[in-house]
Amino acid sequence: MSHSLDLFPIGNCAASALIDRAGHYVWSCAPRVDGDPFLSNLLSGVDSTDEAAQGVWAVDVEDTAQVRQAYLRNTPILRTEITDKAGARLEIIDFAPRYRQFGRVYRPLAFFRIVRPLAGTPHVRIRLRPTANWGGSICERTMGSNHLRYMGGETTIRLTTDAPVSHIAEERLFRLEEPVTMFLGPDEGFEADITTTAERMQRETAAYWRGWVRTLSVPLEWQEVSIRAAITLKLCAYEETGAIVAALTTSIPEHAESGRNWDYRYCWLRDAYYVVQALNRLGAADILENYLAYLRNLVDRQKGGHMQPVYGVGLEPALTERIAEHLPGYRGMGPVRIGNQAHEHMQHDVYGQVILSTVQAFFDERLLRAATLEDFRALEPVGERAFELHDKPDASLWEFRGREAVHTYSAVMCWAACDRLGNAAAKLGLNERAHYWNDRADIIRQAIESRAWNPGLGRYSATFDGDGMDASLLQLVEVRFADAQSPRMQATIRAVEKELRRGPYMLRYAVPDDFGEPKTAFNICTFWLIEALHLSGRTDEARALFEEMLGRRTAAGLLSEDIAFEGGELWGNYPQTYSLVGLINCASLLSKPWTSVR
């Protein structure tokens, strides 16, 4: 068996991990989501069930016959049930604690595993083999009476357990006659009864997540789809600072042997905008409000100057890209990259996404902190940058590394920056500033309508004065630049579908880039097509295509970034926030209304 992306994420907005279909942890980083993976098996090239596997936390059952997995309802708490060939059964409950206490949220960098016998006497072996230095070394271990310490990485971690410690240290096969509880977390003493504490924390964690889900305004149809996507988007938030990462992994190839292996464990302002926009559709204001604090800090630091497309979860501007030489990569397909060169790129759409994310705070009375005149003044220099750069070349949202052009999507986002500042100014009663920004938006609109429209082809082009095709043209409707029913947009939607659709899936673009021709479809682009079809009056087609995409989700109900044309195998980093955004947006758009049943 080789690695696949059929993985279950668990987490608490500080810690996160991925668990495979055998019930083994195969990925987790410390001390943050972008840190050294102490559980690095996913990128080791060696399957988690292999005797030689490192970077894994496994509960192996002798003579396994069947494994069943599912989240506990409306939570990221995973239950794995394993049956052996003699009919003995056990369950494993995996979760990262998260609940409110002492007026704040408790979310340690820690995980619980509760292993309970259900029938007969299963024989189990526990393998905890953390790595350090990006797979370059095995963690050094010391042993106490009820714990094991693992040292050598960025963070020393401790396993506390009520199981015989030597059973775990020596990886002995033993009879599971009583429940076993394990707590993997900081190098601190566990000053409580571990079993009762684990059970209490599981109850409180489940109550927290179910309470959060109850606040969501989900569509009538596809409720479980929307809820699972929303919970997982929340797991991609780094709550301490408000950052939202694009995915929990690095270097899962966009397709086999492609070299398109990127580190997505950082906060792209574009991706984060799409996340908060999707969660807003469900009424989840908490992540938006926390992310706006992250944005305000970034805007203050830049003082009206250049905004990068991506930053670290701790607001770090430098994400220097390098290769992890000791990790072979997913299925042995390297390289494994740490950092991302995109922090050096000019991507002008980012100015629009800063303002698009923020403008709601000028209107939304639910928020704990309403946007102020001071916030508006801080955003105006961002708008000035958008106006200045709307017709200047950039690397585009697709982050081309070898070429630049004036990209229509970037120009439209610069228009949106000025347009939304006009809205905010009007709300604040600043009529002169509203006129100022509306005039600037009109100037950009005229440039787009004259230079991005290709009269010879009868459609919008991906670049000014060009003839290229790009799926991001479908977003002209989403940001209200164009009406889906307008002749220009109708012609563009038809052209995008004709040139970029491959069966049920969509390409970003069809021309070769720095790495050759694309070999997989980009999932968010398929969701953009679904939205465009619906808004064009082709709702039956849109629903059929949406159902096709739902059938491609993992057992956890999630998607990665890319999908193969043939066979529908998932590729790219996982779980990918763009793709989860697509699930939520399309479910909300296509669902029958609640008024149809009540």
Side-chain angles (χ1 to χ4, degrees):
M1 188 174 88
S2 63
H3 287 116
S4 83
L5 295 181
D6 200 359
L7 305 168
F8 289 81
I10 62 169
N12 61 8
C13 307
S16 58
L18 296 175
I19 298 174
D20 70 11
R21 296 308 302 277
H24 301 163
Y25 282 62
V26 293
W27 184 256
S28 188
C29 301
R32 306 189 315 196
V33 63
D34 59 349
D36 184 0
F38 65 95
L39 298 174
S40 58
N41 176 261
L42 184 63
L43 300 184
S44 70
V46 179
D47 189 79
S48 71
T49 59
D50 193 293
E51 194 57 43
Q54 296 293 339
V56 68
W57 187 13
V59 177
D60 298 320
V61 177
E62 187 178 42
D63 295 328
T64 294
Q66 184 184 52
V67 180
R68 298 167 57 197
Q69 288 172 296
Y71 288 114
L72 301 189
R73 180 176 179 269
N74 292 355
T75 78
I77 301 172
L78 179 63
R79 179 180 183 272
T80 302
E81 183 178 301
I82 304 176
T83 306
D84 69 17
K85 292 175 182 175
R89 283 185 298 121
L90 61 78
E91 70 172 6
I92 308 170
I93 303 294
D94 286 298
F95 69 99
R98 179 181 173 86
Y99 52 88
R100 295 197 68 82
Q101 68 172 10
F102 310 130
R104 58 184 183 271
V105 175
Y106 175 67
R107 43 169 165 72
L109 182 67
F111 304 97
F112 270 110
R113 302 204 84 171
I114 306 170
V115 187
R116 296 190 185 99
L118 300 177
T121 307
H123 291 74
V124 303
R125 181 175 67 135
I126 297 168
R127 291 180 290 136
L128 177 55
R129 301 174 176 179
T131 57
N133 306 314
W134 283 87
S137 58
I138 307 303
C139 285
E140 182 183 339
R141 188 185 70 208
T142 62
M143 191 164 71
S145 57
N146 295 106
H147 72 267
L148 296 162
R149 294 173 71 239
Y150 296 89
M151 301 159 290
E154 291 184 47
T155 306
T156 296
I157 57 175
R158 179 188 294 229
L159 180 78
T160 303
T161 183
D162 54 6
V165 172
S166 65
H167 283 1
I168 299 173
E170 301 300 325
E171 298 184 357
R172 292 189 193 115
L173 192 69
F174 66 95
R175 292 166 59 90
L176 186 71
E177 297 178 337
E178 299 289 339
V180 164
T181 302
M182 294 175 278
F183 180 77
L184 185 65
D187 185 24
E188 302 166 0
F190 197 96
E191 306 297 334
D193 179 274
I194 190 170
T195 301
T196 56
T197 301
E199 290 171 348
R200 174 181 63 81
M201 288 190 178
Q202 181 188 334
R203 286 194 305 273
E204 297 201 30
T205 299
Y208 169 84
W209 285 102
R210 287 169 180 157
W212 183 77
V213 166
R214 198 170 62 168
T215 69
L216 302 180
S217 302
V218 295
L220 173 63
E221 296 181 90
W222 306 296
Q223 290 185 47
E224 290 184 13
V225 172
S226 299
I227 289 169
R228 183 54 51 198
I231 287 172
T232 309
L233 286 177
K234 191 172 170 77
L235 295 185
C236 291
Y238 186 73
E239 191 169 59
E240 183 176 273
T241 63
I244 302 167
V245 298
L248 298 178
T249 59
T250 177
S251 302
I252 308 296
E254 290 183 16
H255 59 84
E257 306 293 359
S258 65
R260 300 171 186 261
N261 301 10
W262 316 115
D263 193 347
Y264 277 17
R265 302 168 305 146
Y266 306 110
C267 184
W268 270 261
L269 305 190
R270 177 188 312 110
D271 302 47
Y273 155 66
Y274 280 108
V275 169
V276 297
Q277 176 251 19
L279 290 173
N280 279 341
R281 284 187 163 172
L282 301 181
D286 57 332
I287 296 173
L288 167 67
E289 190 142 29
N290 213 23
Y291 174 61
L292 291 183
Y294 179 84
L295 269 189
R296 286 193 297 272
N297 279 306
L298 282 181
V299 170
D300 281 358
R301 285 183 174 208
Q302 302 312 117
K303 303 187 186 308
H306 168 64
M307 295 289 292
Q308 296 175 190
V310 57
Y311 292 86
V313 297
L315 303 160
E316 298 88 357
L319 306 173
T320 306
E321 193 170 283
R322 64 190 194 278
I323 304 298
E325 303 288 353
H326 301 292
L327 283 175
Y330 179 76
R331 299 186 188 170
M333 299 176 191
V336 172
R337 289 186 171 93
I338 311 163
N340 199 298
Q341 187 198 351
H343 78 276
E344 300 173 358
H345 288 188
M346 304 294 285
Q347 295 175 27
H348 301 329
D349 60 303
V350 69
Y351 299 100
Q353 277 121 17
V354 169
I355 291 170
L356 283 164
S357 298
T358 307
V359 72
Q360 181 168 336
F362 292 96
F363 296 88
D364 194 336
E365 294 293 343
R366 298 172 302 162
L367 301 184
L368 299 176
R369 183 194 181 281
T372 64
L373 178 61
E374 179 192 5
D375 294 332
F376 177 77
R377 298 292 186 208
L379 285 176
E380 285 200 292
V382 179
E384 293 291 0
R385 289 284 289 176
F387 183 73
E388 173 193 348
L389 296 170
H390 76 271
D391 58 354
K392 305 296 189 296
D394 73 351
S396 97
L397 78 160
W398 306 130
E399 301 183 341
F400 296 124
R401 296 193 170 201
R403 66 172 187 263
E404 289 193 334
V406 181
H407 291 95
T408 302
Y409 175 86
S410 297
V412 167
M413 284 297 175
C414 290
W415 166 84
C418 297
D419 179 75
R420 302 314 195 267
L421 279 175
N423 293 348
K427 178 68 166 62
L428 292 169
L430 305 172
N431 294 333
E432 185 274 328
R433 300 314 293 164
H435 287 305
Y436 177 88
W437 287 112
N438 290 336
D439 286 347
R440 270 166 155 48
D442 287 343
I443 292 168
I444 299 176
R445 173 180 282 282
Q446 289 167 21
I448 294 167
E449 293 289 12
S450 61
R451 297 187 61 191
W453 177 256
N454 185 312
L457 295 173
R459 61 164 174 81
Y460 288 110
S461 168
T463 58
F464 277 21
D465 309 317
D467 58 7
M469 177 53 71
D470 181 333
S472 67
L473 292 171
L474 297 173
Q475 287 294 282
L476 272 61
V477 175
E478 177 66 33
V479 296
R480 301 200 314 274
F481 180 85
D483 187 288
Q485 300 290 346
S486 70
R488 283 192 168 193
M489 205 61 220
Q490 282 285 298
T492 301
I493 290 169
R494 288 193 297 269
V496 168
E497 185 179 9
K498 179 181 177 182
E499 294 187 37
L500 299 182
R501 186 168 178 175
R502 301 291 185 272
Y505 311 127
M506 281 282 289
L507 292 169
R508 289 170 285 186
Y509 44 83
V511 296
D513 59 17
D514 319 327
F515 290 81
E517 289 191 10
K519 300 281 176 53
T520 48
F522 203 70
N523 288 327
I524 186 62
C525 296
T526 303
F527 290 119
W528 288 349
L529 176 64
I530 292 167
E531 293 176 29
L533 291 174
H534 169 69
L535 295 171
S536 301
R538 297 163 62 186
T539 299
D540 289 347
E541 290 178 66
R543 288 177 68 96
L545 193 51
F546 186 50
E547 290 290 354
E548 167 77 24
M549 290 301 290
L550 294 182
R552 297 303 178 184
R553 292 173 301 150
T554 61
L558 308 173
L559 289 166
S560 65
E561 179 185 64
D562 308 280
I563 196 163
F565 304 137
E566 301 296 328
E569 184 176 9
L570 295 177
W571 291 90
N573 284 308
Y574 176 89
Q576 222 265 0
T577 53
Y578 264 159
S579 301
L580 305 183
V581 162
L583 290 170
I584 289 172
N585 286 347
C586 289
S588 299
L589 206 58
L590 297 174
S591 174
K592 297 171 186 172
W594 279 95
T595 52
S596 67
V597 296
R598 68 184 181 198

